[in-house]
Amino acid sequence: MVDVSASFGRLERYLEATAYKGYDCYDALNSPILSALSMRNKYLRIAFIQAFRRLPVNLRPLLLVPKGYNPKGLGLLLSGCSRLCRWTGDKKYLKKLEHFAMLLRNFASHGHSGMCWGYNFDWQSRVFFVPKFTPTIVNTAFVAHGFLDAYEATKDDAYLHVARSACDFILRDLHRSSDPDGSFSFSYTPIDVLKVHNANMLGAGLLARVFACTGETELADTARDAVRYVVKHQNQDGSWYYADTSFQRWIDSFHTGFVLESLYVYMQSTGDGAFRDSLKSGFSFFLENFFLDDGMPKYLHNKIYPVDIHSSAQGIVSLLRLAELDGRSRSTLDKLVHWTIAHMQDKRGYFYYQRHKPYTIKIPYVRWSEAWMYHALAWYMTETHDKESYGHTWNLDRA
């Protein structure tokens, strides 16, 4: 038996004790020592980032990496507490909602057409270097969805205005890689031209959800053209590669979840049912390839390890949101929640980053692990239990 309420309470207390600040699995270049040693060399930067991400021992304090606020993590926390505020009516969640919204306004990136957000660290990919707080479509979409959740919880138009402003960043500041049929992919940031399917779909999902609030046809029309691009690149088995480039042709669980959820949000927000077959085949692939019989999630579709907490958290939300598409969802969901709490949560409340076959990386990462599980468990509690059950024992034998 797993007590979901107790698990969430432990996580909530842990986050409160940290004041929502922490490390990130990709924050190596926040070390002034490693930043200097990299000498602006692409390969040294990548080596430092990947070494920090894989080490089971946390060297950040020794190398002077500061704990900090991560805008995407704050966006997920805003989303989770907004759901709890709306569901419970508890004023403590309203106060948290207001606090997260204030922090996010303060951490918005400047000099763009609309409100937008990036990471609080420099990061280097195989393709390009991204300075800290360079806004991305992914961060901006998650934060803006958090503001939309706050709007739904409070009916305060100020939160809707932030989400609408974020649409201007997506519409005006990102590059578009277009196909002859008019479909296109948004770039990941204003400084690249990458075509990343989950990022493109996250942007489309946000535009569509704001359209449902404002009725602006430009938002829906633009979203549809981005959706068409992603659906056109779906594999025959229902899956999507991470991106179009030859070295980014992997298939992982949580980015697949981003695509599926965003496609669902687009369809629900616009009433456009043209892509339902794509959604159903993609969700079938998701169910059949990313979970073991006991509920353990898989990061990649063709490998068991590593087990990543991001796969657990996104899996919970995707299985909840898309449950109507496949009757297997609920059974998989309950086993996933049970397995994750039993195998990935520390007695101090936080969730581990990754389990590898020979070892576990137990370092708490506020964005990648804790904010995601806060968001996911808030979804689980608000979607699967009656309001009267809040604060009592919720276990998966009764769920």
Side-chain angles (χ1 to χ4, degrees):
M1 182 177 73
V2 169
D3 186 339
V4 181
S5 178
S7 170
F8 181 81
R10 291 193 299 272
L11 174 61
E12 190 169 43
R13 288 189 293 274
Y14 171 82
L15 284 165
E16 290 170 349
T18 66
Y20 311 103
K21 289 184 176 181
Y23 298 121
D24 193 273
C25 46
Y26 287 91
D27 65 3
L29 297 181
N30 271 354
S31 163
I33 299 170
L34 294 183
S35 182
L37 288 174
S38 71
M39 299 177 291
R40 299 186 179 182
N41 180 278
K42 167 183 174 178
Y43 298 102
L44 285 175
R45 284 169 169 166
I46 291 174
F48 290 146
I49 291 170
Q50 294 303 320
F52 260 45
R53 192 171 72 84
R54 288 170 166 78
L55 283 173
V57 178
N58 190 8
L59 299 179
R60 289 168 178 81
L62 293 175
L63 292 168
L64 307 181
V65 176
K67 293 182 178 180
Y69 290 116
N70 184 289
K72 183 177 175 183
L74 291 171
L76 291 164
L77 293 170
L78 174 60
S79 183
C81 78
S82 295
R83 293 186 66 85
L84 290 166
C85 177
R86 183 181 183 186
W87 181 62
T88 67
D90 192 329
K91 291 185 178 179
K92 78 173 184 179
Y93 289 114
L94 177 60
K95 291 181 179 179
K96 287 187 177 187
L97 181 161
E98 293 169 345
H99 178 63
F100 295 140
M102 176 200 67
L103 288 173
L104 283 164
R105 287 190 175 100
N106 292 340
F107 282 109
S109 300
H110 300 293
H112 301 278
S113 299
M115 294 193 73
C116 50
W117 293 266
Y119 292 118
N120 61 321
F121 48 81
D122 296 340
W123 56 283
Q124 175 76 61
S125 73
R126 291 176 63 179
V127 182
F128 66 115
F129 174 70
V130 184
K132 67 176 62 178
F133 296 117
T134 299
T136 76
I137 190 172
V138 173
N139 285 17
T140 300
F142 276 108
V143 171
H145 277 301
F147 275 98
L148 286 172
D149 291 335
Y151 168 66
E152 290 179 356
T154 65
K155 304 307 178 186
D156 185 340
D157 286 341
Y159 298 130
L160 174 59
H161 293 160
V162 173
R164 177 59 187 84
S165 177
C167 293
D168 284 332
F169 163 73
I170 293 172
L171 292 170
R172 315 295 175 220
D173 295 344
L174 296 175
H175 302 290
R176 302 186 190 186
S177 298
S178 300
D179 279 355
D181 64 358
S183 66
F184 70 88
S185 178
F186 286 115
S187 63
Y188 204 91
T189 74
I191 61 175
D192 73 88
V193 291
L194 293 178
K195 293 176 283 187
V196 178
H197 297 314
N198 77 88
N200 191 36
M201 192 65 89
L202 282 165
L206 175 63
L207 295 178
R209 190 175 172 197
V210 174
F211 160 76
C213 298
T214 68
E216 297 168 83
T217 56
E218 179 189 11
L219 301 180
D221 292 345
T222 305
R224 191 175 199 279
D225 287 339
V227 167
R228 288 197 297 120
Y229 183 91
V230 175
V231 169
K232 187 171 60 177
H233 286 80
Q234 187 174 21
N235 299 320
Q236 287 189 347
D237 61 4
S239 67
W240 280 273
Y241 293 122
Y242 175 78
D244 282 352
T245 53
S246 59
F247 58 88
Q248 294 175 301
R249 291 169 69 84
W250 68 80
I251 302 169
D252 71 73
S253 60
F254 50 86
H255 289 119
T256 300
F258 294 173
V259 171
L260 294 171
E261 276 198 73
S262 298
L263 180 54
Y264 182 80
V265 168
Y266 166 81
M267 293 170 60
Q268 292 293 103
S269 299
T270 63
D272 183 355
F275 307 108
R276 186 170 180 81
D277 288 345
S278 177
L279 179 65
K280 291 187 70 174
S281 66
F283 190 51
S284 292
F285 180 91
F286 183 77
L287 276 170
E288 293 164 8
N289 289 275
F290 290 121
F291 307 96
L292 300 185
D293 290 342
D294 64 352
M296 188 176 94
K298 294 163 60 182
Y299 185 161
L300 299 173
H301 77 294
N302 56 356
K303 291 174 62 177
I304 293 178
Y305 289 97
V307 179
D308 193 295
I309 192 62
H310 217 336
S311 301
S312 290
Q314 181 57 44
I316 291 167
V317 180
S318 293
L319 290 169
L320 283 165
R321 182 166 251 162
L322 304 174
E324 67 178 83
L325 300 177
D326 195 304
R328 297 171 292 177
S329 296
R330 186 54 193 267
S331 174
T332 302
L333 168 67
D334 291 340
K335 289 188 288 186
L336 171 62
V337 173
H338 186 289
W339 189 95
T340 300
I341 293 173
H343 294 90
M344 298 293 279
Q345 189 171 27
D346 190 88
K347 63 183 180 181
R348 287 164 285 187
Y350 68 87
F351 283 82
Y352 302 146
Y353 168 48
Q354 284 185 344
R355 280 191 176 273
H356 295 253
K357 194 169 186 179
Y359 65 92
T360 299
I361 302 176
K362 298 183 178 182
I363 304 168
Y365 292 127
V366 67
R367 168 188 66 106
W368 193 272
S369 308
E370 316 325 325
W372 262 108
M373 282 305 299
Y374 183 96
H375 173 68
L377 291 178
W379 259 85
Y380 183 83
M381 292 189 298
T382 57
E383 290 292 324
T384 62
H385 296 279
D386 294 333
K387 187 183 299 184
E388 289 73 17
S389 299
Y390 182 71
H392 299 286
T393 298
W394 299 338
N395 65 71
L396 297 181
D397 296 333
R398 295 197 292 113

